[in-house]
Amino acid sequence: MMDLPMLSPEWRPPTLETDRLVLRAFEEADAEPLHPHAANPNVTRFTLWDYHKSLADTAHFVRDYARCRYLEGVPEPLALCFKADCSPVGAVGCFWASQPNRTMELGYWVGERFWGRGLAVEASRARLAHAFAACGPERIQARVIAGNAPSIRVLEKLGFRYEGTLRSSLLRRGNFEDVLYFALLRSEHEGG
């Protein structure tokens, strides 16, 4: 049996920068500025997680969920922040869906106030470049709940290709949902 390397409890994912954004590890102080975005039901209409009903829900996300991922050495979720004001307005992540098959999965969300500004594309482009360079996946996939046209547009702008729909494959909030699969291969990313 192989021993897993011990990570320091202080380990955090790398900080990534774009022209407008900083993508960085979540910290406890992020709960308050993130809460209004995570508490908006419009933001979570197509997410696997439900809107945050209290500041405690958001504190749990930034303190417990994100910290646990970092303790496992998983470099996600990253806070999506403007450079001018490093308060988070969303999140982006890329994690192993199947490490033996070299397949990662991309996810993102942005506060409603900031929709239509290309932030999800900009943040995801930086996260994808880092994932391909640092982790070596052959494939990065993304799942979209049927009806989420803005998310499909984000993926198309990133060069993802539609692969198919798994009908009624997700029981979410009491309803069965169709899930659309998209993927970007290493050769497509390097060629684009």
Side-chain angles (χ1 to χ4, degrees):
M1 177 180 246
M2 192 164 112
D3 290 331
L4 294 174
M6 294 297 293
L7 288 175
S8 162
E10 306 307 314
W11 182 86
R12 295 293 182 267
T15 298
L16 308 176
E17 292 191 23
T18 69
D19 289 342
R20 297 181 293 172
L21 304 173
V22 173
L23 310 175
R24 60 165 176 78
F26 276 103
E27 301 296 341
E28 281 190 58
D30 293 328
E32 194 168 331
L34 185 66
H35 179 69
H37 306 297
N40 182 340
N42 292 332
V43 169
T44 62
R45 180 172 171 216
F46 293 106
T47 62
L48 296 178
W49 52 279
D50 204 359
Y51 71 94
H52 293 183
K53 294 164 184 65
S54 69
L55 182 57
D57 290 342
T58 310
H60 173 75
F61 170 75
V62 300
R63 183 187 62 235
D64 300 329
Y65 175 76
R67 183 181 295 158
C68 285
R69 299 294 281 174
Y70 304 157
L71 284 172
E72 295 167 355
V74 179
E76 75 95 27
L78 294 176
L80 190 158
C81 312
F82 285 104
K83 281 184 175 178
D85 171 12
C86 218
S87 296
V89 299
V92 63
C94 199
F95 59 91
W96 286 109
S98 174
Q99 195 164 7
N101 294 306
R102 294 177 49 200
T103 299
M104 297 188 86
E105 186 161 321
L106 174 72
Y108 46 82
W109 68 270
V110 177
E112 185 175 19
R113 259 181 58 207
F114 304 100
W115 289 356
R117 297 186 191 183
L119 300 181
V121 171
E122 186 174 332
S124 296
R125 189 169 281 132
R127 187 62 191 98
L128 288 168
H130 181 266
F132 276 117
C135 303
E138 174 59 22
R139 162 192 172 89
I140 298 181
Q141 65 188 25
R143 295 176 289 162
V144 178
I145 295 171
N148 190 350
S151 191
I152 292 170
R153 283 193 299 276
V154 166
L155 294 172
E156 289 171 344
K157 288 176 183 177
L158 293 168
F160 279 69
R161 293 186 188 176
Y162 170 73
E163 294 187 325
T165 299
L166 299 180
R167 297 174 301 139
S168 292
S169 64
L170 175 66
L171 178 58
R172 186 181 70 105
R173 301 176 194 151
N175 297 307
F176 285 99
E177 305 272 4
D178 294 349
V179 178
L180 289 68
Y181 272 77
F182 292 80
L184 179 67
L185 302 183
R186 171 178 290 284
S187 60
E188 295 165 343
H189 180 260
E190 291 171 349

